[in-house]
Amino acid sequence: MVCVYDSGVGGVSTLMALRRLVPTVDVCYLGDTARVPYGPRDAATVCRYATEALDYLAALRPEAILVACGTVSTVALPHLRGRYPLPVYGVAEAGIRAAAALGARRLAVLGTEATVRSGIFARRLSECLPSAEVRSVACPLFVALAEAGLTAPDDPLPRLVAERTLAPLFDLEPEAILLACTHFPWLSPHVRRLFPTAHLIDCGAAAAAALAPTLGERGRGECRFLVTDGSEAFRRLYGRLTGDAAPPLVETVALS
Ligand code: DGL
């Protein structure tokens, strides 16, 4: 069994990518919905939340944990390596490698405030692609829109938010756009509409692709959903975003 963890519903995009690659893997998904969003919070707070969530998941004895959260991957994971006797993967390195492999000359990184403030994506990309121009933009309203289920391609609200938020990228004309937050793939049609020729890189999907071949254990493709608040609301939101007419049952758990 593999655990997948995010602050909310963002990591479901990563979970879906993993299940497409390894449909027989059993997964336990945790969304820390009582405390989403993580992006505007201080690094120390994100580290505390992540430690509580990972301690909880490690006690379930999974084969591996995939932190399907760009914020935790950049802000907390570097401090938590070695705390757990099992592999704990983030989404940052896989996303950076996928972006570097494209060899783009103009790159945009879309993340939460905490991810952009950490500077990790921009720094690592500049190391991998020294002559590339890299510009980072914080998109906190994308997280709010995904958590509200307001992502439909024909909805004028996310369209307007995308236009305003991504305006600082218009003159860059990015060749590649790294979605460094797992909530953002839910809004990718709105990003694509503004930058139709850019490659969109989903760092959660890239991490799922890196994890899939390492998984030894196979199960029956079961998926257990845990949240820290609002299990019914999460179930409805899951159904709305994934189009699943019979969304799974969701349990509420306390992390500490
Ligand atoms: N999905 C998360 C990320 O990848 C967290 C977004 C948030 O909670 O602000 O960064």
Coordinates of all heavy atoms in Angstrom, one line a residue, residues 6-7 10-11 36-40 68-72 112 115 143 180-183, ligand 1:
D6 N -1.6 15.3 0.7 CA -1.7 16.7 0.3 C -2.5 17.5 1.3 O -3.1 16.9 2.2 CB -2.3 16.9 -1.1 CG -2.3 18.3 -1.6 OD1 -1.4 19.1 -1.3 OD2 -3.3 18.7 -2.2
S7 N -2.4 18.8 1.2 CA -3.2 19.6 2.1 C -4.7 19.5 1.8 O -5.6 19.7 2.7 CB -2.9 21.1 1.9 OG -3.1 21.5 0.6
G10 N -5.8 18.7 -4.1 CA -4.8 18.8 -5.1 C -4.2 17.5 -5.5 O -4.0 17.1 -6.6
G11 N -3.7 16.8 -4.4 CA -3.0 15.5 -4.6 C -3.9 14.5 -5.3 O -3.3 13.4 -5.7
V36 N -6.1 23.2 5.1 CA -5.8 23.7 3.7 C -6.3 25.2 3.7 O -7.3 25.5 4.3 CB -6.6 22.9 2.7 CG1 -8.1 23.0 2.8 CG2 -6.1 23.2 1.3
P37 N -5.6 26.2 3.1 CA -4.4 26.0 2.3 C -3.1 26.1 3.1 O -3.1 26.8 4.1 CB -4.5 27.2 1.3 CG -5.1 28.2 2.1 CD -6.1 27.5 3.0
Y38 N -2.1 25.4 2.7 CA -0.8 25.5 3.3 C 0.1 26.6 2.7 O 0.9 27.2 3.4 CB 0.0 24.2 3.0 CG -0.3 23.0 3.8 CD1 -1.4 22.9 4.7 CD2 0.5 21.8 3.7 CE1 -1.7 21.7 5.4 CE2 0.2 20.7 4.5 CZ -0.8 20.6 5.3 OH -1.1 19.5 6.0
G39 N -0.2 27.0 1.5 CA 0.6 27.9 0.8 C 0.9 29.3 1.4 O 2.0 29.8 1.4
P40 N -0.1 29.9 2.1 CA 0.2 31.2 2.7 C 0.8 31.1 4.0 O 1.2 32.1 4.6 CB -1.3 31.8 2.9 CG -2.2 30.9 2.3 CD -1.5 29.5 2.1
A68 N 2.2 14.5 -2.3 CA 1.7 15.1 -3.5 C 1.4 16.6 -3.3 O 0.2 17.0 -3.5 CB 0.5 14.3 -4.0
C69 N 2.4 17.3 -2.8 CA 2.2 18.7 -2.4 C 3.5 19.4 -2.7 O 4.5 19.1 -2.1 CB 1.8 18.8 -0.9 SG 1.7 20.5 -0.3
G70 N 3.5 20.4 -3.6 CA 4.7 21.2 -3.9 C 5.2 21.9 -2.7 O 6.4 22.1 -2.5
T71 N 4.2 22.4 -1.9 CA 4.6 23.3 -0.7 C 5.4 22.4 0.3 O 6.4 22.8 0.7 CB 3.3 23.9 -0.1 OG1 2.6 24.5 -1.1 CG2 3.6 24.8 1.0
V72 N 4.8 21.3 0.7 CA 5.5 20.4 1.6 C 6.8 19.9 1.1 O 7.8 19.8 1.8 CB 4.5 19.3 2.1 CG1 5.3 18.2 2.9 CG2 3.3 19.8 2.8
T112 N 2.6 27.8 -5.0 CA 1.9 28.6 -3.9 C 2.9 29.7 -3.5 O 4.1 29.7 -3.9 CB 1.6 27.7 -2.7 OG1 2.9 27.2 -2.2 CG2 0.7 26.5 -3.1
T115 N 6.0 28.0 -1.8 CA 6.8 27.3 -2.8 C 7.7 28.4 -3.5 O 8.9 28.2 -3.7 CB 6.0 26.5 -3.8 OG1 5.3 25.5 -3.0 CG2 6.9 25.9 -4.8
V143 N -5.6 27.6 -5.9 CA -5.8 26.6 -4.8 C -7.3 26.8 -4.3 O -8.0 25.8 -4.2 CB -4.9 26.8 -3.6 CG1 -5.2 25.8 -2.5 CG2 -3.4 26.6 -4.1
A180 N 3.9 23.6 -10.2 CA 4.6 23.2 -9.1 C 3.7 23.1 -7.8 O 4.2 22.9 -6.7 CB 5.7 24.2 -8.8
C181 N 2.4 23.1 -8.1 CA 1.4 22.8 -7.0 C 0.4 21.8 -7.6 O -0.1 22.0 -8.7 CB 0.7 24.1 -6.6 SG -0.8 23.9 -5.6
T182 N 0.1 20.8 -6.8 CA -0.8 19.7 -7.3 C -2.2 20.2 -7.5 O -3.0 19.4 -8.0 CB -0.7 18.5 -6.4 OG1 -1.0 18.9 -5.1 CG2 0.7 17.9 -6.5
H183 N -2.6 21.3 -7.0 CA -4.0 21.8 -7.2 C -4.1 22.3 -8.6 O -5.2 22.4 -9.1 CB -4.3 23.0 -6.2 CG -4.8 22.5 -4.9 ND1 -3.9 22.0 -3.9 CD2 -6.0 22.5 -4.3 CE1 -4.6 21.7 -2.8 NE2 -5.9 22.0 -3.0
Ligands
DGL1 N1 -1.4 21.2 -3.4 C1 -0.4 21.9 -2.6 C2 0.8 22.2 -3.3 O1 1.2 21.4 -4.2 C3 -0.9 22.8 -1.5 C4 -1.7 24.0 -1.8 C5 -2.1 24.7 -0.6 O2 -2.5 24.1 0.4 O3 -1.9 26.0 -0.5 O4 1.5 23.1 -3.1

